[in-house]
Amino acid sequence: MIKILHTSDIHIGAKLSYLKDKSNVQRDQIRQTFEKVVDVAIEKKVDLVAISGDLFDNPFPSKISINFVKSQLEKLAKALIKVAIIAGNHDRLEPGSVFLSDEFCGDSSNIHIFTPENGSIWIVEDLDLTVYGVSAVLQKSRKSPLSEIKINEKAKTKNSVALIHGSVNMAGREADNYPIDVKLLESLPVEYVALGDWHSRLEVVKDKVWYSGSPELIDSDQKGSGNVLLIEIDSGTRVIPLRVGKREVIVQEVDLGKYENLSSLQKDILLDAHENLIKLVSIKGKKSLSFDLDKEELEDTMRGKFFYLKIADESHLELTQEELDKYPQELLIGRYIKLLRENEVEDKEIIDEAIQYGVKKLSGTQKN
Amino acid sequence: MKITKLTIKNFRKFKDKTFEFSDGVNVVQGLNEAGKSTLSEAILTLLFADPTTKSKQFFDRYGSWDESGSIFLQAEGTSPLGKFQLTKDFGLKLAKLTNLDTKKETNDIKGVEASIGQLLGIKSVKVFESSAFVSQSDLARIESSEDLVASIQSAASAGGVEEGVGTVIKEIDRELAELKKGLDRPTNSPGKLKELEVKISETMQNLEDKKQKWEKVKSAANEGKSSKGELESVTEKISLVEKQIEYNRKFKEGSQKIKEIEQQIVRLERKMSEVSEISTQISNIRSQIENFKPLDSIDLEKTAKEVNELTGSIRAKKETIAKLEREEIVEAEKPDNPVFPRLLVPLFFLVVTIVLYILLSRLDILLTGLGITFVIGAYMFFNSQKGSAGKEGRKEVEMREKQLKEIIEQIGKESACLEKKFEEIKVRDSDEFYTKKAKLRGFLEERANLESLQKGMLEGKSLEQIKGEQAELFAKKKEVEVNELTEDVRNSNLTSEEYLRKRRELDTLKMEEKRLSELETASKVRVQDAEISIDDVVEEEELLERLNEEYSYYKKKRKVLELVRETIDQSIEGTAKDAGKIIKEFVKMYLARLTQDRYSDVKIEKNLSIQVFSKEKGDWIDPVSVLSKGTVDQIYFLTRLAILDLVAKDSNPPIILDDPFVTFDETRKETTKEILKEIGEKHQVILLTHHEEYNDWGNSVVI
C-alpha cells in the first residue's frame, strides 16, 4: 500500500490585509500549520508528500521563508519520506524564481520538483510509483496543464499519481486559470490526481481527483480550508481528510430587524466566539434613528473574544413613524431630517450617518 | 382640543383625583410643587405614554406613592371631531379612545396613539413638552440674548439641545477643525486627516522604495542567474575553443611525431638496405673468398712467412748452388772444360722445368725437372771434374759437392715442405700463392672493411634488432595515429591564420568570462546583502491598505460633519423663516401692549434671534438689552405659543402652564392675564399655580 499526503496552496508569505494587525500572526500560523502538516506526514508514516502548487505566495520568497521550508523538507528527508512538488501560478517557474534556483536544486533524491527541464515524469522505483507533475510558468494561462502530461505507457509501475495545478470546470465554477477538463481527469490512467489552486477541500471525481485545499485559512471566503488529504492506494484508492488548520472563519449576515437593541445583537454575534475564529459580520436591514449602531464600538467591545472580528454596517436608516412624529417638519430637527432625506447628492450611507449624528446633536441626546 | 374632565388614579400622590376643566383659561390652585408636577405629568402620561410599558423606571417614577393599585388615567374632552373619552390603564395595559358622539372605539395602542396625535396636532411628547408646556424654569433660564436665542432655538428644535443650536454648531465646527487641522496650513499637531495623509504618503514612498529594492534583488538574482547562464555558455565556448587549439596542437605534434618516426623508419630502411647491400657485397666477397679455399682458413701471414722463408731459403740455396756452380764453372774454366756448354744443359733443363711449371703449374714437374737438372748438372760437373785439377781441387770439388749435396738435400726438403704446403693450400707455386694471397688479402680486407662498415652501420645491433626497431617504430606510428590523431584532432587542423583567429577569440572569451564571473559574484553579494524581501513589501502593502481604510473612515467622517453642518445651517434658515414669520406675527400682535407701545415691531433673524424696533431709537435693537426681564420673558412666552401654533396648526391643543409668571410684577401680570384670555379663546389654557393672585384669570379648578 502506498500512503500519500496531499496538500497544496499553503501560500507562505501571503498578504492578509483583511486581518489588519493580526495579519502577521496568521502568516506565522500558516507556517506553523505547514510544520504540522510535515509532522502529520511523519506521524502517519506516509511514503510521499505531494504538494500541488502555491507552496509559496511568490516566485521570489524571502530567505526566511525559503529556509523555513527547507528545514521542513529536511525533516521529511530524515524520515525517508519522498516529496513531489509542482509550482503553482503564485510560485511559478519564472527565471530566477525559487524553484529554479540553487536553493532547491538537487537537494536529495527524495525531493522532486517538476520543471520543464526534468520533464513531467518521476519514477520512484522504491515505491513502484510513477508521479506525473506539471508546474506553472505563468500567473495566468488559458492553456490546460494536462497537455504537458505525457503518460508513459511503457515504464509501467504498479501505481501512478498526478499533481496538477489549475481550475476545474465544475459546479458553477469557471475554469479560468490553467483550465482542466474534468472528463479528461476522469480518464487519466492514474490512481489519484492531486489538484491544487482552490483553497477549499473538494472532491472533484469520486475517490480519484481532489483539491486538498489550503491547510491553513488564507482568505475569508474559504470555509473548506484547513485540511490535508491522506491517500491510501491499495487495490483501490481511499481518501481521508485530516484537519490541520487552526483558524476557522464564519461569515455572518445579520438582519437588524430581528434585534430590539444593541445588546441582543451583540449576544448573537458572540454566540460562537472562540479565540481561533475569524468572524466577518455584515449587518443588513433597517435601523431606526434611535438604534445607535456604532460598529467601531461594537467591534472594540467584542474583539477580544475572537481571533479577528470585523463588522460591516450595511444597514440603512429608516425612521420609525414615532421618530418622525417626534420631529415635526416645521421645526428645526424635523426640517433637518427632511432636508437630508431629500438630498440626492451624497451617498445614502453618508446621509444616514448625517441624519443620526445631526439629530443626536440637535436633540441633545449626545454631548459629543 | 380641550380636556373637560381628568381622572387620575394611583398616580404618584394622587390616589383618586378628578379635575374638571372648562374652555379658556383654567386656574388650578392649591397644589404644591409636587402636586403641580404630578398633574402635568399625568396629563402628559395620559396623552403620550404607552400603557403596555413594563419599564421599571416608569413605575418607579409614576407609580402610586403608597405602592398599591395600578395607574389609571382617563380624560374626557372635546374636539372638532366630537366628544371623546381617552382611557389608559397601565395595570391592565389597555388604551381606549371612544368617540362619545359616534360611539366609535379605538382599542389598539397604535390606533389610540395615532388618534391622540391627530387630536392634539402634536405626535410626540417632546414636541408637546417644548411647545404646549411652559414652565417656570423655561422663562427663568433667559438671562441674556444668547439665552433667549437658545431658548427659542430649543423650542424651535422641539426641545432640542438647551444650550442652543449655536453650541451644537460650535461643537461640530470644532470637531471639523480638529479633523482638518494641518490640511491648509502646516501645524505641529495635525488632525487625523493630515496625519493619515502624511503617513500614507510616507508609506507609499516606503513601499515604492521597498518594491524597487526588491525588484533589484529579483533582477540581481535574475542577473546572477542569467550571467551565470551566460557564464556557463562562455565557459563552454572557451573550453571548445581551447579544445580546438589543443587538438590543433596535438595534430601538429602528432603529425610531427609521425613525420619523425617516418623519417626514422626511412633512415632505418635505408640503413637496412645499405646493410643488406653490404651483406650482399660481403656475401659476394665471401663466395669469392670461397674460391680461395683453403687459403681463407689459414694464417696467411704465417704461411706467407713460411713460404717466404722457404722460397727464400730455397732461393738462397739455389743461389749458393749457383754460386758454387759458378765457382765450379770458373774452376772448370780454368783451362779446362768449357763449363759453359756443360752448364747449358742443366740450365736448359732448369728453364724448361720452370717454364713447364709455369705453364703447367705442376709441382711434380717442377721437382722432376729440378731433379733432372740436378742430375745432369752433377754429371756434367763430374765430367768436368775429370779433367780437373789434382786433389786439392778434388777436395774442393768434393766439398763443393758435399755442400751441394747438402744444399740440394735441403732444397729438396724445403721444396718438399713447400710443395706440401702448396698442396695444403692448393696452390701450385709461390707465385700463385702470392697472387692468391694478395687477392685473398684484398678480398679479406674488403670484407673486413665491409664488415666493419656494416657493423658501424648496425651500431652494434643485429639486423633483427633493427628490424625489431623498425617494427616498433611502425607500431609507434600506428599508436600515435590511433591515439593522438583521433578524428576530432584531425578535424582540428588549423591554418596559421585560423589559429591566430582562434587565439584572439579565446582571449576575447576569457575577458568576457572574467566580466561575467565578476558580475555573478557581485549579484550574489547583492542578493545576500539584500535586506528587502517580498515579506517586507507585503507588510508595507498591508500597512498602506490599513492606513487607506482609516483615511477613508476619516474622510467619510469629514463628509458627514460637513453635510451635517451645511444642513443645520439650511434648517435653521428654513425654520427661522417659517417660525420666524409666525413668531413675528404673534409677538407683533402683543408686543405693543406688552411694552406700552414703545416697541411694536419685531423681526426674527436667521438664527432665530429676535430684534425689536425701537420707535425711540428708530432702529432695530436686541430686546434683552433694552427690555426688562419680564418683558423678555413675555416675548419668549409668545414665541413658544407661536411655535405651538406652527406645529399644531388648527388642532389648538391645550396649553399647560406651570406657574411661569411668578416673577412678573402686577402690571405685567395684568397684561399677561389679558393676553392669556385672548389666547384662551383659541387654546384651552391650564394654569397651574400655588399662588393666590390668579383667581380671576379664569375658571378656578378645585382639587
Side-chain angles (χ1 to χ4, degrees), chain B residues 373-571:
Chain B
T373 310
F374 175 73
V375 163
I376 295 174
Y379 180 71
M380 291 287 155
F381 182 64
F382 283 124
N383 277 346
S384 78
Q385 278 312 348
K386 283 176 176 181
S388 295
K391 206 172 189 167
E392 215 178 78
R394 229 192 338 259
K395 208 182 189 166
E396 245 180 60
V397 173
E398 252 178 55
M399 230 173 51
R400 218 179 286 129
E401 281 185 8
K402 200 178 158 184
Q403 232 180 6
L404 235 93
K405 206 180 165 176
E406 270 180 27
I407 290 170
I408 288 170
E409 236 183 77
Q410 279 179 348
I411 287 178
K413 261 197 215 149
E414 286 178 345
S415 289
C417 199
L418 201 63
E419 287 282 340
K420 195 160 132 207
K421 235 174 201 88
F422 284 164
E423 219 182 285
E424 272 179 22
I425 58 178
K426 300 232 166 62
V427 297
R428 269 198 312 248
D429 51 31
S430 54
D431 280 340
E432 195 182 336
F433 171 71
Y434 283 120
T435 316
K436 276 195 175 177
K437 172 174 169 276
K439 278 203 183 128
L440 182 61
R441 166 133 286 115
F443 283 137
L444 285 176
E445 254 180 52
E446 209 181 324
R447 188 183 78 176
N449 281 345
L450 288 174
E451 275 181 350
S452 84
L453 187 67
Q454 196 186 59
K455 199 162 178 191
M457 276 187 185
L458 288 172
E459 287 162 351
K461 304 181 209 154
S462 71
L463 198 62
E464 295 309 313
Q465 279 179 311
I466 296 208
K467 277 215 176 104
E469 272 181 32
Q470 197 190 45
E472 266 176 37
L473 285 171
F474 268 113
K476 198 159 165 204
K477 176 176 163 198
K478 185 98 195 217
E479 195 190 317
V480 168
E481 277 177 347
V482 166
N483 291 347
E484 290 182 27
L485 292 183
T486 57
E487 192 173 332
D488 289 330
V489 171
R490 246 184 279 268
N491 290 341
S492 308
N493 186 16
L494 304 169
T495 65
S496 49
E497 211 181 271
E498 286 170 337
Y499 177 76
L500 278 172
R501 234 187 303 133
K502 286 282 169 192
R503 277 228 81 96
R504 250 176 282 142
E505 196 182 325
L506 186 66
D507 286 338
T508 318
L509 285 173
K510 282 229 149 117
M511 283 200 304
E512 186 64 8
E513 186 186 35
K514 181 158 179 224
R515 179 186 78 84
L516 287 173
S517 146
E518 279 169 1
L519 252 175
E520 195 200 351
T521 315
S523 70
K524 265 210 182 108
V525 168
R526 255 191 293 163
V527 170
Q528 276 166 357
D529 287 348
E531 308 142 9
I532 300 296
S533 70
I534 184 67
D535 291 353
D536 299 313
V537 174
V538 163
E539 274 188 36
E540 206 71 28
E541 279 177 346
E542 282 177 350
L543 175 62
L544 186 62
E545 276 168 42
R546 280 203 296 275
L547 287 173
N548 273 323
E549 222 182 287
E550 210 183 330
Y551 187 61
S552 296
Y553 169 79
Y554 283 106
K555 271 204 293 194
K556 182 164 154 224
K557 195 157 178 199
R558 174 186 173 169
K559 263 199 167 150
V560 168
L561 285 174
E562 283 173 344
L563 180 62
V564 167
R565 183 70 179 75
E566 192 190 311
T567 315
I568 288 181
D569 271 352
Q570 288 175 341
S571 319

Side-chain angles (χ1 to χ4, degrees), chain A residues 16-17 95 330 332 349 357, chain B residues 156 175 222 542 545 556 649:
Chain A
L16 304 167
S17 326
E330 296 82 10
L332 181 64
E349 218 190 310
Y357 184 81
Chain B
E175 212 177 317
N222 244 355
E542 282 177 350
E545 276 168 42
K556 182 164 154 224
K649 301 188 190 65

Side-chain angles (χ1 to χ4, degrees), chain B residues 288-351:
Chain B
Q288 295 272 32
I289 291 178
E290 288 286 299
N291 296 340
F292 289 81
K293 273 193 156 49
L295 278 175
D296 57 342
S297 45
I298 58 165
D299 187 343
L300 268 178
E301 291 309 309
K302 183 163 159 226
T303 310
K305 194 166 166 204
E306 285 169 0
V307 166
N308 240 7
E309 275 178 19
L310 285 172
T311 33
S313 165
I314 292 174
R315 203 178 323 134
K317 287 182 175 77
K318 284 206 174 130
E319 279 178 1
T320 311
I321 292 176
K323 193 167 106 194
L324 287 172
E325 286 188 347
R326 264 200 303 277
E327 281 173 6
E328 227 184 82
I329 287 172
V330 164
E331 288 214 7
E333 270 185 350
K334 281 179 181 174
D336 237 338
N337 311 331
V339 177
F340 188 65
R342 275 187 239 169
L343 273 177
L344 218 71
V345 179
L347 211 64
F348 176 76
F349 274 101
L350 189 68
V351 169

Side-chain angles (χ1 to χ4, degrees), chain B residues 621-636:
Chain B
I621 48 172
D622 167 28
V624 177
S625 59
V626 295
L627 300 173
S628 62
K629 172 101 176 62
T631 312
V632 172
D633 285 351
Q634 283 171 318
I635 290 174
Y636 172 68

Side-chain angles (χ1 to χ4, degrees), chain A residues 88-330:
Chain A
N89 58 318
H90 281 262
D91 52 7
R92 58 194 172 273
L93 303 178
E94 267 183 24
S97 63
V98 59
F99 289 131
L100 291 180
S101 73
D102 302 328
E103 305 278 2
F104 284 88
C105 279
D107 236 83
S108 49
S109 62
N110 83 313
I111 299 177
H112 185 97
I113 301 175
F114 290 86
T115 66
E117 264 183 308
N118 60 27
S120 62
I121 302 176
W122 180 35
I123 298 181
V124 191
E125 278 155 4
D126 2 340
L127 298 178
D128 205 1
L129 174 74
T130 303
V131 182
Y132 298 97
V134 183
S135 286
V137 294
L138 299 170
Q139 195 170 11
K140 290 207 181 301
S141 171
R142 297 218 147 264
K143 190 167 165 217
S144 168
L146 283 173
S147 59
E148 302 291 324
I149 294 193
K150 316 256 180 287
I151 298 288
N152 190 354
E153 295 290 342
K154 278 175 273 183
K156 257 311 195 185
T157 49
K158 182 156 170 237
N159 298 115
S160 52
V161 295
L163 278 70
I164 308 175
H165 192 91
S167 53
V168 168
N169 56 335
M170 70 176 266
R173 303 282 284 265
E174 271 273 334
D176 46 6
N177 202 11
Y178 278 107
I180 306 169
D181 189 350
V182 184
K183 289 196 225 56
L184 291 178
L185 285 177
E186 281 169 351
S187 59
L188 258 186
V190 297
E191 269 70 53
Y192 180 75
V193 178
L195 290 179
D197 190 34
W198 291 359
H199 296 185
S200 288
R201 183 188 80 207
L202 182 66
E203 184 171 24
V204 177
V205 175
K206 187 157 170 35
D207 292 332
K208 185 177 171 188
V209 181
W210 282 71
Y211 281 101
S212 66
S214 308
E216 180 59 54
L217 184 73
I218 297 166
D219 292 333
S220 57
D221 60 350
Q222 297 147 8
K223 287 192 77 78
S225 60
N227 305 281
V228 292
L229 298 174
L230 181 63
I231 322 294
E232 290 175 352
I233 302 179
D234 214 339
S235 48
T237 309
R238 199 164 46 246
V239 177
I240 305 159
L242 298 169
R243 173 134 187 105
V244 292
K246 188 127 187 185
R247 315 277 181 230
E248 270 179 62
V249 67
I250 291 182
V251 176
Q252 184 177 18
E253 246 189 48
V254 162
D255 184 1
L256 216 49
K258 297 207 181 89
Y259 304 94
E260 274 194 18
N261 50 26
L262 217 55
S263 66
S264 56
L265 171 65
Q266 211 165 311
K267 216 163 115 190
D268 210 15
I269 293 176
L270 280 173
L271 213 51
D272 41 16
H274 63 87
E275 61 176 0
N276 283 318
L277 180 63
I278 295 173
K279 196 171 222 201
L280 306 174
V281 181
S282 86
I283 299 179
K284 298 198 153 92
K286 300 181 242 181
K287 65 174 173 238
S288 68
L289 206 56
S290 56
F291 198 112
D292 196 356
L293 184 63
D294 185 345
K295 73 159 190 201
E296 267 84 35
E297 213 183 297
L298 214 57
E299 272 178 6
D300 285 338
T301 321
M302 298 191 280
R303 191 183 303 265
K305 303 262 190 299
F306 299 87
F307 175 74
Y308 179 76
L309 172 69
K310 177 170 167 112
I311 300 179
D313 184 1
E314 289 159 32
S315 64
H316 59 273
L317 187 64
E318 209 173 274
L319 287 92
T320 60
Q321 191 55 49
E322 188 185 322
E323 285 164 341
L324 286 169
D325 290 342
K326 202 159 146 191
Y327 304 111
Q329 284 181 0
E330 296 82 10

Side-chain angles (χ1 to χ4, degrees), chain A residues 15-17 20 23 27 58 60 62 95 325-326 330-333 335-336 340 349 353 357 361-362, chain B residues 123-124 127 156 160-161 171 175 218 222 533 535 541-542 545-546 549 556 564 571 575 578 649:
Chain A
K15 192 159 82 165
L16 304 167
S17 326
K20 306 265 178 61
S23 58
R27 248 196 300 279
N58 192 279
F60 306 92
S62 65
D325 290 342
K326 202 159 146 191
E330 296 82 10
L331 300 183
L332 181 64
I333 299 181
R335 192 177 300 259
Y336 173 82
L340 281 176
E349 218 190 310
E353 256 193 67
Y357 184 81
K361 282 290 231 204
L362 290 170
Chain B
K123 299 181 182 124
S124 141
V127 178
V161 63
E171 274 174 25
E175 212 177 317
K218 251 207 293 185
N222 244 355
S533 70
D535 291 353
E541 279 177 346
E542 282 177 350
E545 276 168 42
R546 280 203 296 275
E549 222 182 287
K556 182 164 154 224
V564 167
S571 319
T575 310
D578 289 350
K649 301 188 190 65

